[in-house]
């Protein structure tokens, strides 16, 4: 595997389900990010981790819970989501905060 | 004033012509600037980085930076239909990357 990978690529879940999104980077980077992108809308930064420490949380609802066990892996735990949470969820990594970011392919999430 | 501003478009350019995409930013202390290309339904892909005033060329792409005027642009020469995408400008502000909303580019065959 190279670059930034995300699984699953597609996810359909009910409002009462619990699921997790996984991101892995193979670039030796120290910073990882979660973004949300709704249809025809700009990127929304959700969380930033630098050296496994959360450094930014942009007023994201508590039904989204990030986890960064090491510098290569990032998770987004989802529970009791709303239909308006349906979007493309993108993971990115960079050598450090403020450097160029490399994106994974994204997880297309649909909440029914 | 928005931190990173781009015209949302769509910008329509005939095939073979030069496409010019512009971006302005508000923080005069910004040091790093990036252009991403995003195809519909796909993730953004980094295509250019520029750090100093002037031009930087990579194949058909040229990034131009003018820190005094606080703008950065991307020129695409010999535009191809495959260049049709949304182009995102991104700026480093205090170790944070701020993305613009993107310009939709449509290359007319």
């Amino acid at each position: 595997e190279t670059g930034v990978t995300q699984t699953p690529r597609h996810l359909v879940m009910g409002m009462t389900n619990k699921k997790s999104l996984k991101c892995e980077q193979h670039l030796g980077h120290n910073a990882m990010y979660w973004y949300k992108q709704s249809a025809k809308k700009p990127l929304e930064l959700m969380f930033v981790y630098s050296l496994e420490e959360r450094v930014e949380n942009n007023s994201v609802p508590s039904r989204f819970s990030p986890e960064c066990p090491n510098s290569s892996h990032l998770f987004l735990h989802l529970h009791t989501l709303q239909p308006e949470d349906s979007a493309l969820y993108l993971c990115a990594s960079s050598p450090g905060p403020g450097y160029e970011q490399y994106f994974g392919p994204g997880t297309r999430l649909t909440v029914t | 004033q928005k931190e990173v501003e781009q015209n949302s478009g769509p910008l329509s350019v005939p095939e073979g012509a030069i496409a010019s995409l512009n971006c302005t930013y508000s923080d005069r202390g910004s040091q790093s600037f990036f252009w991403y290309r995003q195809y519909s339904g796909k993730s953004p892909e980094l295509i250019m980085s520029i750090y100093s005033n002037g031009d930087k060329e990579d194949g058909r792409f040229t990034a131009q930076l003018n820190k005094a005027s606080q703008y950065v642009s991307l020129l695409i020469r010999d535009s191809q239909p495959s260049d049709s995408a949304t182009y995102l400008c991104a700026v480093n502000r205090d170790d944070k990357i701020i993305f613009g909303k993107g310009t939709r580019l449509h290359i007319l065959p």
Side-chain angles (χ1 to χ4, degrees):
Chain A
E1 294 277 15
T2 59
V4 182
T5 59
Q6 290 186 244
T7 55
R9 295 292 306 275
H10 301 272
L11 178 62
V12 178
M13 59 186 289
M15 294 168 60
T16 58
N17 291 160
K18 290 184 179 181
K19 296 286 184 183
S20 296
L21 310 185
K22 178 183 176 182
C23 175
E24 185 173 359
Q25 59 96 0
H26 308 267
L27 300 169
H29 289 168
N30 291 320
M32 296 188 76
Y33 311 79
W34 279 117
Y35 288 88
K36 174 185 178 183
Q37 190 173 40
S38 302
K40 300 189 185 300
K41 289 188 177 180
L43 288 170
E44 298 176 47
L45 179 63
M46 301 175 73
F47 302 104
V48 180
Y49 278 84
S50 177
L51 296 173
E52 302 148 45
E53 180 180 336
R54 192 190 309 180
V55 297
E56 189 159 345
N57 175 350
N58 280 349
S59 302
V60 179
S62 59
R63 57 186 183 267
F64 296 91
S65 175
E67 178 189 1
C68 187
N70 55 61
S71 60
S72 298
H73 293 86
L74 186 65
F75 295 89
L76 188 63
H77 303 300
L78 317 171
H79 65 96
T80 59
L81 294 190
Q82 304 298 310
E84 61 264 29
D85 297 322
S86 299
L88 180 66
Y89 287 83
L90 292 161
C91 174
S93 72
S94 68
Y99 287 81
E100 66 277 8
Q101 296 179 13
Y102 296 85
F103 286 83
T107 295
R108 175 72 60 188
L109 174 67
T110 302
V111 181
T112 61
Chain B
Q1 182 183 9
K2 295 178 183 176
E3 295 192 71
V4 179
E5 290 204 60
Q6 298 181 254
N7 188 319
S8 61
L11 174 66
S12 295
V13 174
E15 183 175 356
I18 296 175
S20 178
L21 304 161
N22 298 314
C23 171
T24 58
Y25 59 94
S26 60
D27 184 356
R28 190 170 287 277
S30 298
Q31 295 295 322
S32 309
F33 307 85
F34 312 98
W35 282 100
Y36 288 81
R37 177 178 62 200
Q38 186 175 23
Y39 293 114
S40 180
K42 303 296 184 182
S43 61
E45 174 191 9
L46 178 68
I47 54 173
M48 291 286 284
S49 304
I50 187 166
Y51 305 96
S52 52
N53 278 330
D55 294 359
K56 179 181 178 182
E57 187 175 320
D58 183 1
R60 295 187 296 112
F61 298 99
T62 299
Q64 299 176 319
L65 175 61
N66 184 323
K67 289 185 178 181
S69 300
Q70 295 175 242
Y71 83 78
V72 56
S73 62
L74 180 70
L75 303 179
I76 307 175
R77 290 182 300 280
D78 188 23
S79 297
Q80 303 297 310
S82 59
D83 295 326
S84 297
T86 295
Y87 289 80
L88 304 173
C89 172
V91 176
N92 179 345
R93 176 185 65 78
D94 296 332
D95 280 346
K96 294 181 183 179
I97 300 297
I98 310 297
F99 283 87
K101 293 185 176 182
T103 298
R104 282 186 298 135
L105 175 65
H106 182 208
I107 305 301
L108 303 169

